[in-house]
Amino acid sequence: MYIKYIKSEPPSDGFGNSNANDGRLLSSSPGAGTGGTATGNNKPAPGPPEEQQTLLAVLQFLKKSKLAESAEILRREAGLPEDALDPKGTDASGSGPGLAAGSGQVDGVDASSLLSRVTVSSSAAAQAPKKDSSLAACFYSLSASPDQPDVSVVLSAYSQQGDPSLYDAYYSGLKRFIESVLDCHRAELSQLFYPLFVHMYLELVYNNNESVAKAFFEKFSGDQECYYEQDLRILSSLTKKEHMKGNETLLDFRTSKFVLRISRDSYQLLKRHLQERQNNQIWNIIQEHLYIDIFDGMPRSKSQIDAMSGSLAGEARREANKAKVFYGLLKEPEIELPLDDEDEEAENEEGKPKKKKPKKDSMGSKSKKQDPNAPLQTRIPLPELKDSDKLDKIMYMKESTKRIRLGSDNLPSICFYTFLNAYQGLTAVDVTDDSSLIAGGFADSTVRVWSVTPKKLRKVKSAADLNLIDKESDDVLERIMDEKTASELKILYGHSGPVYGISFSPDRNYLLSSSEDGTIRLWSLQTFTCLVGYKGHNYPVWDTQFSPYGYYFVSGGHDRVARLWATDHYQPLRIFAGHLADITCTRFHPNSNYVATGSSDRTIRLWDVLNGNCVRIFTGHKGPIHALAFSPNGKFLASGATDGRVLLWDIGHGLMVGELKGHTDTIYSLRFSRDGEILASGSMDNTVRLWDAMKAFDDLETDDFTAATGHIHLQDNSQELLLGTYMTKSTPVLHLHFTRRNLLLAAGAYNP
Amino acid sequence: MAEERRQKQCSVVLPTESMKAMAESVGVGQLQEDSCVALSEEVSYRIKEIAQDALKFMHHGKRRKLTTSDIDNALKLKNVEPLYGFQSQEFIPFRFASGGGRELHFYEEKEVDLSDIINTPLPRVPLDVSLKAHWLSIEGVQPSIPENPPPASKEQQKTESTEPLKVVKPGQEEKGTIQGKGQSTTTPDGKGKEKGLIRLKPRSTHELSVEQQLYYKEITEACVGSCEAKRAEALQSIATDPGLYQMLPRFSTFISEGVRVNVVQNNLALLIYLMRMVKALMDNPTLYLEKYLHELIPAVVTCIVSKQLCLRPDVDNHWALRDFAARLMAQSCKTFSTTTNNIQSRVTKTLTKSLFDDKTQWTTRYGCIAGLAELGADVIKTLILPRLTVEGARIKAVMEGPVVSNIDKIGAEHVQTLLLKHCASVIAKIRPQPDNVEQYRAEYGYLGPMLCSHVVKARTQATLQAQQVNRTTLTITQPRPTLSVSQSGLTGSGGPRTPSIIKVPSSLTLMSPRPGTPSQPSPPATKYIVMGTSAGAASTQQVITLSSSQSASPVTSTVPSATSTLQPLVKLESGGTPGLTASRPLQKYIVVSLPSSASSSLEPKSSVLPTSISSASLDGGIKLERSESPGVSTQSPH
């Protein structure tokens, strides 16, 4: 599993460099000497320097091609020290632990066994545990280190360069050229400006041409698209070579190639121009740092480009979205519905259930035929249904017969739960699927659970009292509850930092919370105590969510990786690495086979739970993504970001299919109605907005061409799709939830 | 612009002086300039980094404000010990100090005496988090309940009334405005078309929900009811409830109708209650009354200048009501007067006109002076001070001459005190110090000596005086008029006069009993009734005519025709035969013709009033004009 993690994507981890302090501490004493001991442990030192150089080149190539395993084997065969990959020997922070991590990659054993291997294989790393007593932290720096050599390689790539004073001329020359080309190519070639600008600026900074770099920045930063402003701000503060080492944004930019999508014609034009002018400097940057995805056909228009750009590392490569995604839903287990109940209740609603009944059946039969887009039932092992789950399913079906059909002329009612006296401290909210419980995560580290039904929250009796209960009685489940503890509110204490993510298990027995303290806690809603603290992230965990089938859950945080966990494992089952910045929100696909993550790098990734691969990368947002929602049929994904826009994505085709403009501030919650007709969005701007999702998805023209090229024409029909805007009284909307009958619940803290 | 901003961002670096100051504070005396520069750049960079991380925490904390805990968390991310002791929800009080050519911002650290902290009683425990549910929307429509924001914010109401084309309503009326927007973009030219657009503007429905109707009923009943505690509650509700926007037209009509009826009935108490309602409406921070001024201002002005407001003008303290109404008037002038509606100048003109009229009654005179005086020192200076001599002579005539009537005397006395009160403070400000009685007498005539002493007093307690003038609360010094339960036997006309709009609890009526014959020998004869139309036709111009005449033929003022045909026609005919004896009843006609929305209370009606024409009755009319849509008001007041 760890191998998957390494392989899955260009390795780039936040924790590597953020942990740089630790890393440097750890390896400070070994330094160059470490290499000697390490080699001594393995094989005799390598032969002549030329040979070593070739080996190094091969190793670098392997690293670049993400063949970490092969590189590792080759390195060991050649008996090269770990830090040999680092040509300059500077910033050898990762050297010691790096080797350890290499051995650690072999299998996904727990941290302690890892540690033991580390001590055997490398004397350098043996010092690690002494320096840092925290087991987790140690493991952490170990797993992070493979990237460290990469960093210095990447930085050193800047060393070869031309005359700094000419950069200005190069850039303005290119600018003149692009401005003079035909209109149809200009938009496409303009995409080059930003990555070139950044790389040229960084080269200048790296080579200690501070004043030139500043002048360069001031002269050309105004030309860049406005949605890059935030990155430019970070870039502008970076004026010294020393700053580059610890800067995450910079590393993101370096470790991943900026992806541009350009038509063949435009590319030829550019190539010819650069060759004519002998403009090697720019050509080198394009060759080394950019990835130009060339396609045949019409050049794209400015609006098409703008729709897709904005992410930290350019657009997604086309092949990144080519993998097949089984977005269909899993077959529901057949549960016999006790019909007698149905008839009783159908008395006054004679028409409704009968009308819906056949529909339900037809849907059922469809799923029996096995949707070609649905994954195999056993693709991901799912927990077996318990009796209580079956009961719940029956309840669900009963409720869904009473569900209101929503539409543009039949808007849902919205019930707003306001958290009063929260003193700006409410950070996360979740509601159970049956809408009986509501939980809030607070900045004061508490988690509070309310019952919103007359049924109060009760704890299970103590073990001594439980012994006294007649276990054979029919109402044993009732008897185990301690009536004395009944209350509407239960407070869960345990975290040591603001609680940023919260999620109920589908069976309402558990509650997950993720916090600034780097842990995810699993709480029992029977005893209202903490059951497990899942450690691994070590940095703030921004979001967590249970799988729709329970058992699994996903978490994502500041360390830029999302982790898939099972409740009975204290180590993650999968690590999804690839995002270039914090993972801000995580969502499970309704069929539990995929996980979507939104990030501060302004991309959304879809990960396959089975093999840990990233199967979709969606770019187009211009700010960190804070809300994600899958449509109930699993075909579509909606995402909301700080830019106040909601984007709609077709998962199967890997395309952006809609843009909903209207909100004026960060969107913190998105939710589709139970039948997927309405999309509700809640935002920091104190409004709930309802959008006509049916219409948004119906109007799609997904012919083969658009599907193949990914070039969509988005019509600006936000205003037509907006069905309603509902202002609250200075209450940001943090959570939205459709009840089983399609009543919309919203929640937020009053913010006077 | 963005470029400029970015450049600024790029160049922001902590000054090297700060580095020096900080170095000194940790005991490093001589820091080289180079090191300072290097340090400041490094520190600036690190601070920016931390700020960026802190921003992340703010976003995830779902806040708009960066707090100190965000900074702490960002520091923790970087493995830096967070700053302790800076926990503050609100701003951090940084102090500024400069000296010796250096400027410094610092955080004041006070020495805290532990025993003080221990001995002070514990602060109240903040309320615990609680959960409250309400309906944000019911099947797509947002109910107007206190939990929801008012359908239209004050700013929006303001733009709606001042710039009808730019209105964008939130929520359910989004679609309508989109249409409107589309139209305005398609027909950007042509004034006629734009006028058409005003009509096309989505008409806001004034359907009140059952709850709102109930609320309206309760509030209006309480406001004019007999229970003072209930009234206070109701007024409090009007002054604070944010959801009254929809009911505003109702309240406005209620007040104007109520004043109209009760001024005829001489029901002082109810007039006071209605004025207090106006005050409460004005106090409500969520309401913008501009649209309803055409109803409210006439009502208020009526209460200022009406010849008779109460049954026993000699006993009842109707002066207080006049003062209170004058303050309201001044307040609305201050708030709503613009160059287009010219409220203040129109009001001033109206008041001056009757003030300058020799035949104005003492009561009206008092009202005019009070109304003008409340408008501020400038108005007093330009309009009242020059009149002091004339008024003084008039007062002298009454005070020292043969006793004509007790009422006149009381009136003159009140006018005198009022003049002294208001003028003294102004004179105190504009007149140089030595207050010579003779000089005053020469300048201001009869009132001179009294003024002089008042000015001297005013100078000593100028500040106190100013406070009193600003006070706008009404204290009723007069006992409430007794209301008899048996109301049916009203003199002459009983039943039809009770306006349908005012719901009266059974125990109480709007009209107080009136004895068949006036107790005073010469009560004031004619009345000023300043009338407005009920709300309704938005684009029509309204002319409120106030006339009073003793001529035998009724004075009819017609309204200058405007563009609209739906113009409300308000006529007030008041006729009195001159030379009537004291007890002779006077017929009064109020003819009001209105657009279709006229309510039953506006039916022509007659009332038998026991009045006589006093010698000092006046002619001439006061016309008040107001046009609804700004820009049409090209007509000058008559």
Side-chain angles (χ1 to χ4, degrees):
Chain A
M1 289 158 199
Y2 284 94
I3 298 161
K4 295 290 189 236
Y5 147 54
I6 295 297
K7 277 174 114 181
S8 61
E9 269 301 303
S12 63
D13 272 354
F15 42 71
N17 45 66
S18 338
N19 241 10
N21 289 342
D22 301 13
R24 244 167 258 140
L25 263 179
L26 291 174
S27 57
S28 56
S29 54
T34 317
T37 42
T39 46
N41 272 354
N42 288 305
K43 279 203 172 181
E50 306 91 83
E51 204 184 316
Q52 197 176 348
Q53 283 304 317
T54 358
L55 272 172
L56 279 176
V58 175
L59 268 177
Q60 283 215 25
F61 173 77
L62 286 175
K63 278 255 168 182
K64 265 192 186 164
S65 326
K66 292 151 207 110
L67 299 166
E69 246 180 309
S70 331
E72 183 68 13
I73 294 164
L74 177 66
R75 195 190 52 73
R76 274 197 225 163
E77 283 300 311
L80 284 173
E82 171 74 0
D83 57 354
L85 269 180
D86 184 3
K88 289 199 158 180
T90 58
D91 190 31
S93 52
S95 63
L99 181 59
S103 55
Q105 285 161 16
V106 176
D107 55 9
V109 285
D110 57 299
S112 55
S113 70
L114 243 180
L115 269 178
S116 62
R117 277 159 193 269
V118 167
T119 42
V120 173
S121 61
S122 154
S123 58
Q127 297 175 353
K130 284 178 217 158
K131 288 272 180 191
D132 194 336
S133 57
S134 159
L135 208 81
C138 177
F139 167 66
Y140 219 60
S141 58
L142 295 184
S143 61
S145 48
D147 293 331
Q148 292 292 54
D150 243 6
V151 171
S152 41
V153 167
V154 148
L155 284 181
S156 67
Y158 279 132
S159 55
Q160 352 101 9
Q161 49 115 29
D163 184 358
S165 55
L166 285 179
Y167 274 57
D168 197 326
Y170 289 149
Y171 189 84
S172 29
L174 185 76
K175 196 173 151 190
R176 264 199 306 281
F177 161 70
I178 290 177
E179 274 164 3
S180 66
V181 297
L182 287 173
D183 281 1
C184 58
H185 300 299
R186 191 185 301 151
E188 286 205 317
L189 292 179
S190 300
Q191 298 177 82
L192 277 169
F193 281 138
Y194 176 66
L196 278 180
F197 169 78
V198 175
H199 283 289
M200 290 172 92
Y201 175 76
L202 291 179
E203 278 196 24
L204 287 170
V205 171
Y206 185 78
N207 292 293
N208 291 322
N209 297 306
E210 195 183 325
S211 53
V212 185
K214 267 190 182 163
F216 183 78
F217 188 91
E218 272 174 34
K219 186 161 179 190
F220 298 112
S221 66
D223 300 345
Q224 311 307 328
E225 298 284 351
C226 52
Y227 38 79
Y228 291 121
E229 195 178 335
Q230 208 151 13
D231 289 340
L232 288 176
R233 196 180 300 152
I234 296 171
L235 212 59
S236 72
S237 64
L238 196 140
T239 51
K240 293 221 182 308
K241 191 178 172 184
E242 294 78 53
H243 296 161
M244 294 173 89
K245 272 178 198 154
N247 194 296
E248 294 162 24
T249 317
L250 167 92
L251 287 171
D252 296 336
F253 219 85
R254 306 302 319 117
T255 48
S256 58
K257 284 192 166 188
F258 197 92
V259 182
L260 300 170
R261 214 179 274 182
I262 289 182
S263 72
R264 189 169 296 284
D265 293 353
S266 306
Y267 182 68
Q268 297 294 356
L269 213 60
L270 174 75
K271 201 169 166 187
R272 212 176 312 137
H273 166 79
L274 291 176
Q275 279 169 352
E276 270 170 23
R277 295 290 176 92
Q278 302 276 305
N279 202 338
N280 287 329
Q281 195 61 38
I282 287 185
W283 190 241
N284 279 346
I285 292 179
I286 292 177
Q287 293 280 308
E288 272 182 43
H289 303 306
L290 307 190
Y291 178 92
I292 297 188
D293 195 355
I294 301 161
F295 62 88
D296 296 303
M298 285 276 289
R300 292 187 296 167
S301 70
K302 176 98 176 95
S303 64
Q304 279 176 318
I305 293 168
D306 279 350
M308 300 295 286
S309 54
S311 106
L312 203 59
E315 295 180 43
R317 302 177 188 204
R318 266 175 306 158
E319 70 261 22
N321 287 340
K322 286 282 181 267
K324 165 114 177 121
V325 173
F326 300 101
Y327 55 79
L329 300 183
L330 292 179
K331 207 162 58 178
E332 286 293 317
E334 279 164 51
I335 298 165
E336 300 220 346
L337 229 125
L339 281 168
D340 46 341
D341 282 15
E342 183 84 5
D343 290 346
E344 270 172 29
E345 289 185 39
E347 264 181 351
N348 44 0
E349 293 175 273
E350 200 69 59
K352 264 193 182 172
K354 281 200 175 159
K355 227 188 265 172
K356 280 189 183 170
K357 203 73 200 168
K359 267 183 190 162
K360 263 255 124 50
D361 283 348
S362 68
M363 268 164 76
S365 60
K366 210 193 271 173
S367 63
K368 265 172 219 156
K369 267 179 218 155
Q370 183 63 35
D371 181 358
N373 289 315
L376 280 178
Q377 206 72 7
T378 52
R379 193 166 178 265
I380 301 288
L382 292 173
E384 275 185 30
L385 280 184
K386 288 177 285 187
D387 284 350
S388 57
D389 297 334
K390 283 181 184 153
L391 274 175
D392 200 53
K393 280 264 188 297
I394 290 167
M395 276 302 292
Y396 174 77
M397 282 164 139
K398 267 194 217 159
E399 290 266 309
S400 57
T401 56
K402 291 181 203 150
R403 186 180 293 165
I404 298 161
R405 286 236 160 246
L406 297 177
S408 52
D409 46 358
N410 197 6
L411 295 177
S413 298
I414 308 172
C415 178
F416 202 100
Y417 285 99
T418 313
F419 288 79
L420 300 170
N421 313 317
Y423 309 106
Q424 306 227 334
L426 183 70
T427 43
V429 181
D430 196 32
V431 181
T432 54
D433 188 69
D434 70 345
S435 318
S436 62
L437 304 176
I438 188 164
F442 289 83
D444 63 1
S445 315
T446 59
V447 175
R448 287 158 198 257
V449 185
W450 280 268
S451 166
V452 291
T453 57
K455 200 178 150 195
K456 296 204 166 167
L457 301 173
R458 294 170 301 176
K459 286 184 189 173
V460 172
K461 285 179 185 164
S462 66
D465 292 339
L466 282 177
N467 270 333
L468 305 172
I469 293 173
D470 173 17
K471 283 154 196 91
E472 299 305 313
S473 71
D474 289 338
D475 59 342
V476 68
L477 286 177
E478 202 44 41
R479 287 192 189 193
I480 57 169
M481 306 312 284
D482 189 352
E483 213 46 63
K484 274 176 287 186
T485 59
S487 64
E488 274 177 11
L489 164 68
K490 289 268 184 270
I491 306 179
L492 308 173
Y493 298 100
H495 280 295
S496 59
V499 179
Y500 290 119
I502 206 164
S503 175
F504 280 107
S505 73
D507 61 3
R508 294 186 299 284
N509 281 328
Y510 305 105
L511 176 71
L512 274 176
S513 61
S514 70
S515 159
E516 187 269 338
D517 62 15
T519 63
I520 303 145
R521 280 175 187 269
L522 181 75
W523 309 84
S524 163
L525 297 183
Q526 301 292 333
T527 58
F528 292 97
T529 52
C530 183
L531 301 177
V532 196
Y534 300 94
K535 291 173 185 171
H537 276 289
N538 262 23
Y539 284 103
V541 188
W542 298 132
D543 199 9
T544 184
Q545 203 213 2
F546 254 114
S547 147
Y549 294 88
Y551 185 61
Y552 300 110
F553 64 93
V554 64
S555 65
H558 176 74
D559 59 5
R560 305 167 182 212
V561 291
R563 284 158 207 254
L564 180 85
W565 311 73
T567 47
D568 56 0
H569 287 63
Y570 64 92
Q571 288 289 324
L573 303 178
R574 297 282 183 277
I575 294 184
F576 306 115
H579 274 297
L580 302 175
D582 299 32
I583 288 175
T584 46
C585 55
T586 53
R587 278 291 166 275
F588 257 101
H589 189 276
N591 68 18
S592 196
N593 278 255
Y594 296 92
V595 164
T597 54
S599 163
S600 301
D601 67 6
R602 308 187 285 272
T603 62
I604 299 150
R605 282 171 188 251
L606 192 70
W607 309 88
D608 193 335
V609 166
L610 180 69
N611 49 26
N613 286 338
C614 175
V615 289
R616 289 286 180 271
I617 304 175
F618 295 132
T619 62
H621 270 299
K622 317 283 188 251
I625 290 139
H626 276 275
L628 288 171
F630 280 98
S631 70
N633 60 11
K635 273 187 192 169
F636 302 102
L637 177 69
S639 60
T642 51
D643 57 8
R645 300 179 317 148
V646 176
L647 296 183
L648 305 172
W649 310 91
D650 182 330
I651 295 168
H653 294 100
L655 286 178
M656 186 197 293
V657 292
E659 179 186 9
L660 306 174
K661 282 189 263 188
H663 280 293
T664 56
D665 210 331
T666 310
I667 294 161
Y668 278 119
S669 60
L670 281 170
R671 195 60 81 112
F672 282 95
S673 68
R674 292 281 173 158
D675 295 322
E677 311 97 331
I678 299 259
L679 173 66
S681 59
S683 157
M684 195 70 193
D685 65 9
N686 304 341
T687 58
V688 175
R689 284 173 201 254
L690 301 178
W691 311 87
D692 193 338
M694 286 287 249
K695 198 171 164 199
F697 295 135
D698 279 351
D699 294 353
L700 285 184
E701 18 121 13
T702 42
D703 50 89
D704 290 339
F705 175 74
T706 44
T709 56
H711 305 161
I712 27 93
H713 271 290
L714 288 180
Q715 71 255 58
D716 186 18
N717 56 353
S718 304
Q719 292 304 328
E720 293 164 39
L721 296 175
L722 180 65
L723 297 177
T725 304
Y726 304 99
M727 279 284 275
T728 67
K729 237 183 187 177
S730 121
T731 309
V733 186
L734 299 194
H735 190 77
L736 292 167
H737 174 84
F738 275 96
T739 68
R740 291 171 176 178
R741 298 188 187 186
N742 262 342
L743 170 73
L744 180 57
L745 306 182
Y750 179 61
N751 209 345
Chain B
M1 235 174 74
E3 200 175 343
E4 279 172 32
R5 210 172 54 221
R6 254 183 231 151
Q7 281 178 13
K8 254 185 224 161
Q9 284 162 3
C10 175
S11 57
V12 169
V13 170
L14 285 176
T16 49
E17 285 79 30
S18 311
M19 293 302 119
K20 277 193 186 138
M22 282 174 213
E24 276 171 26
S25 73
V26 292
V28 179
Q30 296 294 318
L31 201 60
Q32 283 180 354
E33 196 59 32
D34 290 351
S35 334
C36 277
V37 172
L39 263 177
S40 74
E41 278 178 7
E42 178 67 17
V43 169
S44 307
Y45 172 73
R46 296 295 165 203
I47 286 178
K48 282 177 192 171
E49 247 188 356
I50 286 164
Q52 276 156 12
D53 277 339
L55 218 57
K56 252 180 218 172
F57 284 95
M58 183 192 79
H59 274 301
H60 283 282
K62 276 92 174 173
R63 273 176 281 113
R64 277 207 192 84
K65 202 197 272 172
L66 193 75
T67 63
T68 45
S69 62
D70 292 332
I71 308 265
D72 284 351
N73 286 332
L75 287 170
K76 265 159 93 181
L77 271 193
K78 303 254 168 231
N79 269 338
V80 181
E81 186 101 340
L83 302 166
Y84 297 110
F86 283 90
Q87 292 300 332
S88 157
Q89 289 291 324
E90 293 306 309
F91 76 109
I92 303 168
F94 273 107
R95 299 278 175 125
F96 174 77
S98 64
R102 287 222 259 170
E103 292 175 338
L104 193 64
H105 290 269
F106 65 101
Y107 180 65
E108 197 177 34
E109 287 176 289
K110 282 187 200 136
E111 266 181 39
V112 181
D113 193 353
L114 260 183
S115 62
D116 278 359
I117 294 180
I118 293 165
N119 291 332
T120 46
L122 287 175
R124 269 205 303 168
V125 180
L127 292 168
D128 200 16
V129 185
S130 63
L131 200 59
K132 186 172 186 291
H134 75 270
W135 290 108
L136 186 67
S137 146
I138 296 170
E139 286 173 2
V141 182
Q142 190 161 25
S144 45
I145 46 175
E147 285 88 352
N148 285 329
S153 66
K154 191 166 182 180
E155 282 69 38
Q156 213 179 331
Q157 292 173 40
K158 191 170 177 178
T159 46
E160 206 169 88
S161 55
T162 51
E163 292 164 285
L165 280 174
K166 286 189 188 170
V167 182
V168 180
K169 278 204 167 185
Q172 56 263 47
E173 280 175 56
E174 198 84 40
K175 278 179 191 166
T177 45
I178 291 155
Q179 276 179 357
K181 263 188 217 159
Q183 281 164 357
S184 64
T185 47
T186 49
T187 61
D189 52 342
K191 276 207 166 178
K193 278 181 182 171
E194 265 177 41
K195 259 185 189 167
L197 258 187
I198 300 174
R199 295 237 172 83
L200 281 173
K201 174 171 86 107
R203 196 170 293 169
S204 52
T205 50
H206 283 282
E207 280 169 32
L208 296 189
S209 65
V210 182
E211 293 83 1
Q212 281 175 320
Q213 288 174 24
L214 271 175
Y215 175 83
Y216 175 80
K217 188 167 168 276
E218 285 290 320
I219 288 287
T220 48
E221 276 174 10
C223 278
V224 297
S226 56
C227 175
E228 185 59 37
K230 244 186 166 179
R231 174 166 29 255
E233 245 174 73
L235 290 173
Q236 175 75 9
S237 171
I238 293 178
T240 52
D241 199 311
L244 295 182
Y245 173 64
Q246 288 283 327
M247 278 179 274
L248 201 48
R250 261 62 170 195
F251 279 123
S252 156
T253 311
F254 175 83
I255 290 166
S256 85
E257 292 293 312
V259 167
R260 184 161 32 184
V261 170
N262 286 291
V263 90
V264 177
Q265 307 278 332
N266 286 334
N267 194 332
L268 181 63
L270 278 170
L271 288 173
I272 291 173
Y273 300 154
L274 290 168
M275 283 304 107
R276 286 172 75 184
M277 271 181 88
V278 176
K279 167 87 176 130
L281 282 175
M282 278 185 166
D283 286 348
N284 191 318
T286 61
L287 295 178
Y288 192 73
L289 297 179
E290 218 265 0
K291 267 195 194 167
Y292 307 97
L293 287 182
H294 67 278
E295 285 192 315
L296 295 178
I297 289 204
V300 174
V301 173
T302 301
C303 290
I304 302 175
V305 298
S306 178
K307 212 166 246 184
Q308 191 181 350
L309 288 170
C310 52
L311 288 174
R312 292 161 300 164
D314 53 333
V315 191
D316 294 340
N317 190 357
H318 59 96
W319 313 105
L321 172 63
R322 287 175 204 275
D323 286 340
F324 182 67
R327 274 184 223 123
L328 282 179
M329 183 76 245
Q331 193 187 338
S332 51
C333 281
K334 221 183 278 166
T335 330
F336 301 108
S337 191
T338 60
T339 45
T340 40
N341 62 19
N342 272 329
I343 293 174
Q344 172 146 1
S345 67
R346 282 152 69 184
V347 166
T348 317
K349 259 184 207 165
T350 312
L351 295 177
T352 343
K353 203 170 172 187
S354 55
L355 178 66
F356 285 10
D357 195 318
D358 282 342
K359 288 163 191 160
T360 311
Q361 293 233 328
W362 282 112
T363 46
T364 310
R365 193 170 292 280
Y366 180 91
C368 289
I369 294 169
L372 287 172
E374 290 293 343
L375 289 175
D378 281 342
V379 179
I380 294 176
K381 203 167 101 184
T382 49
L383 292 174
I384 299 180
L385 290 190
R387 296 279 304 168
L388 274 180
T389 337
V390 185
E391 297 298 329
R394 207 192 303 274
I395 293 167
K396 187 181 178 188
V398 176
M399 300 293 248
E400 292 172 4
V403 180
V404 189
S405 82
N406 191 20
I407 287 184
D408 279 351
K409 199 169 176 188
I410 296 169
E413 269 170 16
H414 272 98
V415 170
Q416 184 182 321
T417 22
L418 182 77
L419 281 172
L420 291 175
K421 184 179 106 188
H422 284 297
C423 295
S425 59
V426 177
I427 291 173
K429 274 185 204 129
I430 59 170
R431 230 183 127 89
Q433 190 51 274
D435 296 314
N436 189 327
V437 179
E438 284 314 308
Q439 257 179 12
Y440 270 82
R441 189 194 297 283
E443 212 165 314
Y444 303 113
Y446 170 72
L447 291 172
M450 280 175 280
L451 261 180
C452 181
S453 63
H454 270 84
V455 168
V456 172
K457 225 187 276 169
R459 284 197 208 278
T460 54
Q461 39 174 272
T463 46
L464 192 78
Q465 191 88 5
Q467 277 168 3
Q468 276 173 352
V469 173
N470 284 339
R471 215 159 44 95
T472 44
T473 46
L474 174 65
T475 42
I476 307 166
T477 52
Q478 164 218 32
R480 268 190 332 111
T482 47
L483 302 174
S484 78
V485 186
S486 59
Q487 287 299 313
S488 52
L490 271 175
T491 50
S493 59
R497 242 187 301 167
T498 312
S500 60
I501 194 151
I502 303 175
K503 300 277 191 301
V504 191
S506 55
S507 65
L508 183 127
T509 172
L510 279 173
M511 285 156 282
S512 49
R514 186 177 297 113
T517 51
S519 52
Q520 277 353 84
S522 64
T526 43
K527 293 164 178 288
Y528 277 112
I529 298 184
V530 184
M531 286 181 26
T533 53
S534 67
S539 61
T540 55
Q541 193 193 8
Q542 292 177 348
V543 174
I544 295 105
T545 305
L546 181 143
S547 82
S548 154
S549 148
Q550 84 268 47
S551 68
S553 60
V555 173
T556 312
S557 68
T558 44
V559 180
S561 79
T563 47
S564 163
T565 49
L566 276 177
Q567 195 179 1
L569 192 66
V570 184
K571 286 189 214 164
L572 183 140
E573 295 163 38
S574 145
T577 329
L580 279 176
T581 50
S583 59
R584 183 73 183 273
L586 175 79
Q587 202 78 15
K588 211 165 202 189
Y589 300 98
I590 303 172
V591 185
V592 180
S593 79
L594 274 173
S596 53
S597 65
S599 67
S600 62
S601 65
L602 295 170
E603 280 165 21
K605 57 190 166 202
S606 63
S607 62
V608 185
L609 297 177
T611 49
S612 71
I613 303 299
S614 78
S615 57
S617 65
L618 37 100
D619 59 9
I622 298 172
K623 276 183 198 170
L624 246 180
E625 278 179 43
R626 243 192 59 65
S627 60
E628 182 70 358
S629 50
V632 195
S633 69
T634 47
Q635 255 156 331
S636 61
H638 293 230

